[in-house]
Amino acid sequence: MSAKEPASNQIVMTVGEMCGGCVKRITARFDSVDAVTKVVCSIEKKSVTLVPKDGVKLSPKGIWEIMESIGKTPKKMITPDGTFTSKPKR
């Protein structure tokens, strides 16, 4: 596994634009999700990495919908279930 690949249970999303306000909004939104233990936003990489609690599998569709709800539709989402460039079915 290369350093760029996410850990097996993480979800990594790429978004179009990222600013300090975006980071605050995204972090605040996912801090309220029990299954998520850590949110890492990178303004440089325009990415959001979600680390679930041990033994928890995040729903790609659910995460995508949360991102849409705050106006940050992912361009790409890498999950344990595969890579998505449009909203996952589940």
Side-chain angles (χ1 to χ4, degrees):
M1 180 146 88
S2 76
K4 291 191 179 219
E5 285 181 41
S8 61
N9 57 352
Q10 291 182 0
I11 289 185
V12 180
M13 293 168 283
T14 309
V15 293
E17 293 182 1
M18 180 83 77
C19 65
C22 300
V23 169
K24 283 190 184 123
R25 261 199 339 267
I26 292 165
T27 304
R29 181 63 186 87
F30 285 107
D31 276 348
S32 69
V33 177
D34 280 344
V36 176
T37 187
K38 188 172 168 194
V39 182
V40 181
C41 295
S42 167
I43 292 173
E44 296 77 29
K45 293 179 183 168
K46 299 178 183 167
S47 70
V48 180
T49 303
L50 301 176
V51 181
K53 290 187 174 158
D54 285 341
V56 173
K57 189 164 182 280
L58 299 172
S59 155
K61 182 180 180 191
I63 297 299
W64 191 285
E65 288 173 345
I66 289 171
M67 290 296 285
E68 282 181 331
S69 76
I70 54 176
K72 298 304 290 178
T73 302
K75 296 218 174 296
K76 183 175 174 187
M77 176 190 258
I78 302 168
T79 77
D81 296 322
T83 299
F84 302 95
T85 52
S86 59
K87 188 194 289 189
K89 303 276 186 271
R90 52 193 172 84

